[in-house]
Structures are given as C-alpha cells and as structure tokens.
Amino acid sequence: MASPQSNGHPSIPSHHAPKPSSSPSARSLATAAIHGDDPLNSTTDVAPALHVSTTFRYPHDPTLLSPTDDLDIPARGPRDPTPADSHIYSRLTAPNTSRLELMLGEILGAPCLTYTSGLAAFHALLVHINPKVVAIGAGYHGCHGVLDIYRKLTNCRVVDLFDESTWQNDGEAWSLGKGDVVHLETPVNPSGLAYNISHYASLAHARGAFLTVDATFGPPPLQDPFKHGADYVMHSGTKYFGGHSDMLCGVLAVGMREEGWEGRYWGLYGERVFLGSVMGSLEGWLGVRSLRTLELRVGRQSGNAGRVVGWLDGCLNPKDGSEDSKIVKEVVQKVEHASLQKDDMSWLKEQMPNGFGPVFSVWMQTPEFAKRLPSKLELFHHATSLGGVESLIEWRRMSDQGVDERLCRVSVGVENWEDLRDDLMRAFRGLMEDGGGK
Ligand SMILES: Cc1ncc(COP(=O)(O)O)c(C=O)c1O
C-alpha cells in the first residue's frame, strides 16, 4: 500500500518522481518543452495520462479539511506546479491543463493561464484590466469583435494604434492613460508584417498604460515580447502551440516587469473561475503533447516560409527574365512578409532574431485569381486558421469581410519547402492556362 502523504492522499513512491528543476528559467526552449512539466510527472507513465474527472476527492482525514472560497489564492506561487492532490473542481484547476500551464510558464518566461480559445483569452484580459481607452490597429478581426462586446458593456473608447493624435480628445477631456491598453498584434494577421514592440511599449508606458501583445503569429522561439516591454502577452494557442489543427486554446502570460504582477496573475486566475472559460482536459493533454515539438515545428515552418517568400520575391524582382518569373508576375501582384521589411531590419532582427513568422500574404493580380488559386494547389489545404504542421492557404475573403479580395493568406507547414514552391509554381501556371483572370 502506498504510504499516506501529510494531506491524507496516497502518493507514489518518491524514487519514481522526477526531481523538480532548481532553476527552470535557465533552460533552453528545447529542454523546457520536454521537461517543463516534470514536477507534475507524478506517475510512472512516460507519456502524460489523460484525466477526465471534473471533480476531485477531498482529503479522507477530517482533520485535514480546510474549507476554501473559490477565490482563495492557492498556497503556491504563480509559476509553481499545482500539486496533484490539490485539485477541487476542473473549472478552477485540473491536472492536464495545470501541466500545460506549467510548461508554458517556462517556455514564455512568465506565469501563464490557458483559456478555451484565443478570443476567450483576449476577453479575459479586457475584463481584467478594465481599460477606459483601448488603442488597437488592424489585425485579427475576431479581436475587434471581442472589443465590440466589451465596448457595448463599458462604453470604453477605441482609438487608432497607428495614429497617436486619436489617443486623446482635449475637447471632451479624455485621453489614453493610466490603466488603459495599447494592444499590438505582431506579426499581424493576415499579412504577416511585423511592428516594433519597443516603440509601442514606450508610447504606452509614457502614459501609464499597459502594452498587451498578441504574439500568435510569432511564437517562441521567434520572439519574446516581454524582452521588448510587453506587460501581457496573449496567444491563440490554437495555432502554433497546438500545431496540429486539432485543439482550441488561448494563453495569457503575465509580465513580471512591474511590481504587483502576482496580484494581476491571481486576479486573472480568480476571474477565469467565474468566466468559466477553462480548457477541457483533452485540450490540456494535446497541448503538452504538442509543445514537445514546438521548437522543431516552428523553426522548420519559419525557415520554409522564408525560403518560399524569398523565391516569390525573386520572381517578382528578377535579375534575369526567367520563364517562371514571367508567369509569377502575370498572376501575383505582391507578397507581404516580415522578411521583406528591408527598411525595418535594424529593430526587426533584434525583435525576431531566430526567424520570421511562418505566415505570409500573396496579393494576386485579380480577385478571380485569388479565388481560384487554392483549387490549383495539391499540398496546401484551402482552409482558415494557421500554425499546423500542414500548409494552408486561404482566399481570405472567405472569412474576413474587411480584406481586399485579391488577398490569399498562406500558413506554411513542415513539408519540404521545394515541394511547396513547385506546387505554387504549378498552380500559377494552371491559372495562366485557364486564362480569364483579369
Ligand atoms: C492573431 C490572432 N489572435 C487571436 C486569434 C483568435 O484565436 P482563437 O481562434 O483561438 O480564438 C486568432 C485566430 O485566428 C489570430 O489569428
């Protein structure tokens, strides 16, 4: 029989439990992704077990029963493991999601909470900060939808991130200031272009506002927004953290730069209990499975995207007039991707030292070409979303009413890049052969 722990729960023999790391933040991403959850690897399984229970037994010993309120702060630090015997009800914590959050904390270098989706995470962030003014630019239209709901409830003002003159109105005597939000998405959906995080951090902090960064398109190891002044970082974990197009997930990481971050973390934790937007256990399990290969996948996807974009750019700006280049120019008007932001490289190379995002956009010469390009491709699924191991292309008008009809968004997977290039070239040729694009 297992020996009882102090709380009356049975434990597994200690010689089977991996030792918790003494200095987790010193580990590289590759190691953290394999060992970040070791402190919760409390059974002899090598692959994590999937726990489906929504409710967990209290200690058997009545002397150990200590009644709690849902909002009591747990007896652990924000980045500490949630002990296996401390779960009560899965809307508060559950084994698989706790394990995922522990790993994410090490990978993002800040305590993390997970949510049912990226949009649920953004909603939780707005509810928590409760800003009166939000500066936001173009970017994922769904985040604007969340902000519309928040504005309906609070009458907050929404101003243009890219035009600081809109951040105040002297006549009406309001301005973006302390406790407000400057929200930056970089690289941005759908183009894949990047913005300077340090610049927006300075603007926000000069006014006492928070800089929140949606880093979905630039997951680790590509960028660390906290290094450049972000106060909160959010991700749609559905994309690169999941990486296999099979889980919805949102992540909020709370920056530790300013005093009071622990209170902000526990505030978000407590509010999530009542928003109810916690991930299911299967998603928590999938998340851990997926993070194991995060660095491998993202590195490969980023490299592939850089090569495909470089090839397309070479065709659009050829040194000689090759046949391929003539065809590409007939059907493609321009390509957008951070790797082509030549004038921004002084800050961009610092912000994204390990490569640019795996998403880029192709502006076709006509809406008809853009609508038909996906049907000509064999290796790219025509589907929305991004970040999975499989390459996707989307005629973006399918899911975003606000975009130019010539835009196709490409999410590059882990296939061989030359095969992807050849598939694109075949498709461009096919469009030309069909004619009638203009
Ligand atoms: C940049 C960005 N942020 C947030 C989201 C929302 O994420 P989710 O679909 O997980 O709610 C998306 C989804 O495409 C996105 O591209």
Side-chain angles (χ1 to χ4, degrees), residues 117-119 140 143 185 189 214 216-217 234 236 238-239 249:
S117 67
L119 290 191
Y140 180 53
C143 292
E185 187 179 309
N189 190 351
D214 182 339
T216 300
F217 274 44
M234 73 165 262
S236 165
T238 313
K239 315 305 186 205
C249 165

Side-chain angles (χ1 to χ4, degrees), residues 235-305:
H235 283 265
S236 165
T238 313
K239 315 305 186 205
Y240 294 98
F241 293 164
H244 296 73
S245 308
D246 57 7
M247 64 180 269
L248 277 178
C249 165
V251 176
L252 288 182
V254 180
M256 301 183 293
R257 195 176 52 88
E258 291 274 343
E259 263 183 44
W261 64 268
E262 283 170 311
R264 293 193 274 128
Y265 173 86
W266 289 120
L268 278 164
Y269 168 82
E271 285 167 2
R272 188 184 62 175
V273 168
F274 295 134
L275 289 171
S277 44
V278 287
M279 288 171 81
S281 289
L282 175 60
E283 282 70 23
W285 184 91
L286 284 169
V288 171
R289 184 280 320 258
S290 297
L291 286 182
R292 301 277 192 241
T293 54
L294 178 75
E295 195 192 39
L296 293 172
R297 286 184 284 106
V298 172
R300 169 82 169 218
Q301 289 171 275
S302 166
N304 276 354

Side-chain angles (χ1 to χ4, degrees), residues 36-41 48-49 51 56 74 76-106 111-115 265-266 269 272 278-285 287-288 291:
D37 58 326
D38 276 355
L40 290 179
N41 195 355
H51 299 257
F56 302 86
R76 61 179 167 89
R79 290 175 78 185
D80 290 344
T82 309
D85 55 10
S86 69
H87 302 293
I88 296 170
Y89 185 57
S90 64
R91 187 157 40 73
L92 282 66
T93 62
N96 292 101
T97 45
S98 295
R99 198 159 167 167
L100 175 60
E101 286 169 358
L102 185 66
M103 282 179 79
L104 284 168
E106 193 171 338
C112 288
L113 290 160
T114 54
Y115 294 85
Y265 173 86
W266 289 120
Y269 168 82
R272 188 184 62 175
V278 287
M279 288 171 81
S281 289
L282 175 60
E283 282 70 23
W285 184 91
V288 171
L291 286 182

Side-chain angles (χ1 to χ4, degrees), residues 14 88 91 125 184 204 363 374 386 430:
S14 61
I88 296 170
R91 187 157 40 73
L125 185 61
L184 177 68
W363 296 68
L386 55 120

Side-chain angles (χ1 to χ4, degrees), residues 34-299:
I34 307 296
H35 293 288
D37 58 326
D38 276 355
L40 290 179
N41 195 355
S42 54
T43 62
T44 54
D45 307 38
V46 171
L50 172 58
H51 299 257
V52 295
S53 194
T54 53
T55 187
F56 302 86
R57 280 194 297 276
Y58 292 121
H60 188 65
D61 179 350
T63 64
L64 296 174
L65 294 177
S66 65
T68 54
D69 187 275
D70 278 352
L71 285 186
D72 282 351
I73 294 179
R76 61 179 167 89
R79 290 175 78 185
D80 290 344
T82 309
D85 55 10
S86 69
H87 302 293
I88 296 170
Y89 185 57
S90 64
R91 187 157 40 73
L92 282 66
T93 62
N96 292 101
T97 45
S98 295
R99 198 159 167 167
L100 175 60
E101 286 169 358
L102 185 66
M103 282 179 79
L104 284 168
E106 193 171 338
I107 285 171
L108 295 178
C112 288
L113 290 160
T114 54
Y115 294 85
T116 42
S117 67
L119 290 191
F122 188 50
H123 178 236
L125 185 61
L126 290 174
V127 166
H128 179 65
I129 298 179
N130 193 14
K132 306 284 175 285
V133 186
V134 177
I136 189 168
Y140 180 53
H141 60 94
C143 292
H144 288 263
V146 173
L147 191 51
D148 284 346
I149 295 171
Y150 175 76
R151 180 165 47 178
K152 184 179 89 176
L153 299 175
T154 62
N155 273 326
C156 85
R157 292 175 203 279
V158 177
V159 300
D160 183 359
L161 176 70
F162 304 123
D163 180 1
E164 211 192 342
S165 71
T166 66
W167 294 16
Q168 58 205 46
N169 184 321
D170 298 330
E172 291 179 42
W174 60 264
S175 71
L176 187 147
K178 194 167 167 42
D180 288 327
V181 162
V182 174
H183 183 73
L184 177 68
E185 187 179 309
T186 186
V188 75
N189 190 351
S191 68
L193 293 174
Y195 293 92
N196 187 336
I197 299 173
S198 299
H199 171 69
Y200 290 99
S202 314
L203 295 185
H205 297 158
R207 291 165 174 262
F210 294 110
L211 178 71
T212 62
V213 174
D214 182 339
T216 300
F217 274 44
L222 303 181
Q223 65 180 3
D224 178 1
F226 289 125
K227 275 198 182 142
H228 305 276
D231 298 298
Y232 294 87
V233 174
M234 73 165 262
H235 283 265
S236 165
T238 313
K239 315 305 186 205
Y240 294 98
F241 293 164
H244 296 73
S245 308
D246 57 7
M247 64 180 269
L248 277 178
C249 165
V251 176
L252 288 182
V254 180
M256 301 183 293
R257 195 176 52 88
E258 291 274 343
E259 263 183 44
W261 64 268
E262 283 170 311
R264 293 193 274 128
Y265 173 86
W266 289 120
L268 278 164
Y269 168 82
E271 285 167 2
R272 188 184 62 175
V273 168
F274 295 134
L275 289 171
S277 44
V278 287
M279 288 171 81
S281 289
L282 175 60
E283 282 70 23
W285 184 91
L286 284 169
V288 171
R289 184 280 320 258
S290 297
L291 286 182
R292 301 277 192 241
T293 54
L294 178 75
E295 195 192 39
L296 293 172
R297 286 184 284 106
V298 172

